[in-house]
Amino acid sequence: MRQGMRQQLLAQGIAALASLAAAMPLLASAQTGRNAGAVATTAPEGLAVTPSNNFEKRFAPLYAAVFSEGGRFSGSAMSADLQALEPILKRTKAPALDFFRLYYTQATIFNRRAMPAEAGQVAQKALVAMPKPSDPQWAYQHLELSIASIRWLAEGGRYEAALKQAQTLITRYPLQEIARLPLQMRWDNSTPIPQAADYPTQLQILGVYEDLGYVLHEQGQYRQALQANQQLLPVVRERLLALGETPRLRGLLANLAQNSYMLGQMDAARNYLQERLQIAISAGDHATVYDSYFQLMVLAHEQNDPQQARQWLSAYAQYARAQGHSDQLARAEQLREELNGREAAPPSQQPAQPPAQPPAQQPPRQPKR
């Protein structure tokens, strides 16, 4: 179970920030379908290049390459090019917005390169440089960076910073007021520069509360994590039902099962897993179905209930047979042999760990927008 019941989440960090380009003050208008793929080489209005500051001249084409549709570049080279611009901003005492834009772009690149620790670090620099949006057209990017940095910081081991960021957002958006937020984000296209409207969405803020439970769990604060997730569960049930997103309950239920398991509350863990299983079956989410059967089998094995463990394994095999999944059927047979071996071995010779292969990974977290 220690390996089998890994933290399952509705998401694994936010989707690449490049998808936010439609809301940004673009140097090229590719995101709105005009001039797709263009790369601007001139500074946007209000940010003219001066002899004493060539930041914009060098930053503009990099920024456009990152956020223009179809832009191609080397991630490592782009990171190096962006990093080289920071001394220019510091030397010329540039406005906070310029620092934010640079760090925001750097965070985007690190996220695309699957470097969450680096993304979290530079995201914090962006938020420190500009604690509040200095321009309305950057308000949404500021919020998204605030949300994304929670998971990035946690994945980089900076739990206290991640917890602080989550708590800051939770204070702004109390759980009991989530229903007042928009169901989905809309874009205002009435101006040349599209801007996000009606945000944050309910799913975005629910994601922040999920991240709070995740960070507490990773810190080893299992009871606090369980309490946070239990408070979230009824709101998630209500809101996801209203949004037609009930299959997404499975992630929170897996978290609750993990919290309960770490506290020795085995019956509660089993109940959460069984509910997760039923949701996954209804949604046709095969990966979660197999993983739930596997987790339930392992839980029964740890509770010294071999009969129940075999029943869950039989259900696993039956589901695989009904779906025509030969690979999962073969895995079920492998697990059966492992169970047989463990039951036949004297207690002193049994491995410390239960029969376990890494469980099937859950689908990545949906973007919080």
Side-chain angles (χ1 to χ4, degrees):
M1 180 68 72
R2 291 169 182 80
Q3 292 185 14
M5 287 199 62
R6 298 186 301 187
Q7 187 85 349
Q8 303 294 336
L9 297 161
L10 287 179
Q12 295 176 346
I14 200 168
L17 294 179
S19 61
L20 299 178
M24 304 176 74
L26 293 175
L27 305 180
S29 55
Q31 298 301 319
T32 58
R34 303 185 302 273
N35 196 25
V39 177
T41 57
T42 58
E45 183 178 356
L47 291 170
V49 177
T50 67
S52 62
N53 180 9
N54 67 351
F55 166 74
E56 193 64 37
K57 181 178 180 181
R58 294 173 58 181
F59 177 67
L62 300 178
Y63 177 87
V66 172
F67 292 107
S68 292
E69 184 177 335
R72 294 188 178 185
F73 49 85
S74 163
S76 59
M78 179 63 75
S79 292
D81 289 342
L82 290 169
Q83 180 62 40
L85 298 181
E86 186 175 15
I88 297 177
L89 293 181
K90 292 181 176 180
R91 186 167 60 248
T92 57
K93 298 182 179 180
L97 179 57
D98 280 357
F99 281 96
F100 181 85
R101 294 165 64 220
L102 176 62
Y103 297 146
Y104 178 90
T105 309
Q106 285 182 303
T108 300
I109 296 301
F110 282 131
N111 183 48
R112 292 189 193 181
R113 296 175 64 191
M115 301 170 66
E118 291 79 1
Q121 182 177 8
V122 75
Q124 286 299 288
K125 291 172 67 175
L127 296 172
V128 169
M130 193 173 75
K132 295 182 179 180
S134 59
D135 187 323
Q137 67 188 24
W138 283 90
Y140 184 68
Q141 291 85 340
H142 195 278
L143 172 68
E144 278 288 300
L145 199 61
S146 300
I147 294 175
S149 64
I150 300 171
R151 184 57 58 87
W152 290 338
L153 290 167
E155 291 180 356
R158 298 181 60 191
Y159 299 119
E160 289 299 329
L163 189 61
K164 181 179 179 180
Q165 187 64 38
Q167 290 172 335
T168 297
L169 286 166
I170 285 170
T171 300
R172 289 171 56 189
Y173 303 104
L175 188 60
Q176 62 271 23
E177 296 182 11
I178 282 182
R180 301 179 186 178
L181 297 174
L183 298 180
Q184 60 186 3
M185 188 181 65
R186 294 183 301 174
W187 294 95
D188 178 7
N189 295 305
S190 62
T191 61
I193 301 175
Q195 296 185 36
D198 295 333
Y199 67 88
T201 68
Q202 295 180 21
L203 290 180
Q204 283 177 307
I205 300 305
L206 287 176
V208 172
Y209 280 88
E210 292 163 10
D211 284 347
L212 173 65
Y214 165 76
V215 174
L216 289 169
H217 185 93
E218 291 299 298
Q219 281 187 307
Q221 300 186 47
Y222 305 124
R223 191 168 302 281
Q224 293 92 326
L226 177 64
Q227 291 173 350
N229 286 326
Q230 285 177 332
Q231 290 175 356
L232 179 60
L233 184 59
V235 180
V236 167
R237 290 186 193 282
E238 176 190 348
R239 290 295 87 211
L240 294 188
L241 179 62
L243 295 168
E245 294 276 358
T246 50
R248 293 183 58 171
L249 277 171
R250 59 182 179 263
L252 180 57
L253 291 167
N255 291 349
L256 284 160
Q258 174 72 354
N259 302 150
S260 300
Y261 170 78
M262 296 304 294
L263 292 168
Q265 300 175 9
M266 301 303 187
D267 289 343
R270 182 175 59 253
N271 291 338
Y272 288 129
L273 285 173
Q274 286 181 287
E275 183 176 354
R276 177 189 185 228
L277 172 63
Q278 293 306 312
I279 293 173
I281 290 175
S282 298
D285 179 2
H286 302 312
T288 301
V289 170
Y290 289 123
D291 185 56
S292 298
Y293 279 134
F294 174 80
Q295 306 285 11
L296 287 162
M297 179 199 72
V298 172
L299 184 61
H301 177 85
E302 286 203 351
Q303 291 183 291
N304 298 314
D305 190 345
Q307 182 178 0
Q308 184 65 66
R310 289 181 176 279
Q311 289 177 353
W312 288 120
L313 182 55
S314 295
Y316 184 118
Q318 183 178 358
Y319 187 84
R321 194 174 293 109
Q323 302 300 323
H325 294 164
S326 58
D327 57 334
Q328 293 293 344
L329 198 57
R331 185 183 180 224
E333 186 57 34
Q334 181 182 4
L335 290 171
R336 191 180 307 279
E337 292 176 1
E338 194 171 345
L339 271 179
N340 290 338
R342 288 169 181 271
E343 291 174 8
S348 61
Q349 298 181 15
Q350 291 188 10
Q353 293 295 326
Q357 294 179 2
Q361 292 295 310
Q362 291 301 296
R365 185 186 189 120
Q366 299 296 316
K368 296 180 185 174
R369 37 193 144 296

